[in-house]
């Protein structure tokens, strides 16, 4: 974990995604965020930092100390995280939240709605691309789920005879009709996801013409560039830090 080297930050938050762990450090006003593979894949090399004197977090052998955390799905029993500092759906003050909704969707929906104070559609381009709609009154209003970019590339490489695996974060040079296979895969999947987001937004605008589009997630910058829209990569972590600024509160 790349914890800060200066004075202890006011808080440290963790969102466990489908493929990666997403961290934030700092105060609610200013967060430093980064993502890394789950610790089982890369055991920490250094001993965890000591908990801060204020007792704002729990010492933990894997994570050091954290103020609050959230996880997509239940599968973190072995992580050693303190269940008392876990943020769950009941802490997210949106209306109409079904009990099966992913916490990442609730968090991004909450932050986008509370920043806009109006209806929003959030495209979270992670392992899955989730589209989450929140109406003007702050109620969850449905969404859509698609396979995310890396998952599509992996499925194509595994499910065909001739298609190669391609590196993540490769260049997208703007050519809409590439000749080479790797570029055709990159362009096809990312433009396909961008088109799905654009179409969903147009349909959401038909329900409420004030609906704002928010883009986040690991592929958010690429989709934002294709759609000419900004990407807010910190949406979920800002929500987590804002809703649980201190341990247990
Ligand atoms: N270093 C990286 N490792 C993994 N994915 C990356 C990396 N850089 C960019 N990506 C892109 O990010 C996407 C995954 O996004 P993200 O890391 O937000 O997913 P996640 O941790 O599973 O979160 P979520 O639970 O929201 O899906 C992939 O489709 C991939 O193309
Ligand atoms: C949709 C994902 C996989 C996106 O990370 C996650 O939010 C999840 O597992 N959700 C549970 C199902 C739902 O939100 O309807």
């Amino acid at each position: 974990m790349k914890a800060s080297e200066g004075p202890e930050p006011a808080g440290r938050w963790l969102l466990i995604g489908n493929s990666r762990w997403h961290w934030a450090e700092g105060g609610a006003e200013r967060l430093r965020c980064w993502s890394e593979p789950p610790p089982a894949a890369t055991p920490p090399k250094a001993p965890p930092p000591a908990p801060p004197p204020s007792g704002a977090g729990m010492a933990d052998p894997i994570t050091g100390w954290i103020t609050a955390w959230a996880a997509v799905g239940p599968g973190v029993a072995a992580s050693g995280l303190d269940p008392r500092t876990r943020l769950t759906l009941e802490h997210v003050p949106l209306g109409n939240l079904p009990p099966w909704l992913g916490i990442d969707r609730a968090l991004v929906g909450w932050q986008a709605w509370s920043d806009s104070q109006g209806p929003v559609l959030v495209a979270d381009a992670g392992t899955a691309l989730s589209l989450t709609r929140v109406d003007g009154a702050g109620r969850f209003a449905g969404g859509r789920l698609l396979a995310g970019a890396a998952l599509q590339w992996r499925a194509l490489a595994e499910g065909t005879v001739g298609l190669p695996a391609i590196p993540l974060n490769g260049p997208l040079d703007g050519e809409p009709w590439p000749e080479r296979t790797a570029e055709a895969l990159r362009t096809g999947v990312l433009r396909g996801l961008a088109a799905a987001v654009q179409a969903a937004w147009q349909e959401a605008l038909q329900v409420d013409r004030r609906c704002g589009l928010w883009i986040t997630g690991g592929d958010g910058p690429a989709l934002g560039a294709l759609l000419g829209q900004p990407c807010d990569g910190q949406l979920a972590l800002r929500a987590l830090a804002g809703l649980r600024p201190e341990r247990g509160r």
Side-chain angles (χ1 to χ4, degrees), residues 70-85:
V72 172
V76 289
S79 69
L81 292 162
D82 180 351
R84 289 169 301 176
T85 56

Side-chain angles (χ1 to χ4, degrees), residues 49-173:
S54 63
M58 276 291 287
D60 173 87
I62 296 175
T63 59
W65 64 270
I66 58 173
T67 309
W69 61 282
V72 172
V76 289
S79 69
L81 292 162
D82 180 351
R84 289 169 301 176
T85 56
R86 182 174 190 169
L87 176 136
T88 58
L89 280 182
E90 71 204 26
H91 301 112
V92 181
L94 287 175
N96 250 7
L97 285 182
W100 58 82
L101 196 74
I103 188 69
D104 52 347
R105 301 182 67 193
L107 285 170
V108 296
W110 159 253
Q111 193 61 51
W113 178 80
S114 83
D115 284 359
S116 326
Q117 288 299 309
V120 290
L121 177 70
V122 186
D124 186 350
T127 307
L129 171 72
S130 63
L131 291 159
T132 302
R133 206 162 69 85
V134 178
D135 71 14
R139 290 176 304 220
F140 172 69
R144 293 176 189 175
L145 300 172
L146 292 81
L151 195 54
Q152 291 195 38
W153 290 320
R154 205 158 61 236
L156 286 162
E158 284 170 12
T160 62
V161 176
L163 290 176
I166 61 169
L168 301 177
N169 280 330
L172 191 66
D173 63 8

Side-chain angles (χ1 to χ4, degrees), residues 213-235:
L213 176 66
W214 289 70
I215 300 174
T216 189
D219 293 307
L223 295 194
L226 285 169
L227 291 165
Q229 294 287 328
C231 166
D232 182 342
Q234 302 188 348
L235 209 48

Side-chain angles (χ1 to χ4, degrees), residues 181-197:
T181 308
E183 281 77 46
L185 279 167
R186 186 169 300 288
T187 296
V189 165
L190 289 173
R191 283 189 180 246
L193 289 174
V197 172

Side-chain angles (χ1 to χ4, degrees), residues 1-5 12 36 39 42-50 60-65:
M1 183 173 96
K2 290 175 223 141
S4 58
E5 284 163 12
R12 186 176 292 151
E36 59 187 25
T42 51
K45 293 189 184 79
D60 173 87
I62 296 175
T63 59
W65 64 270

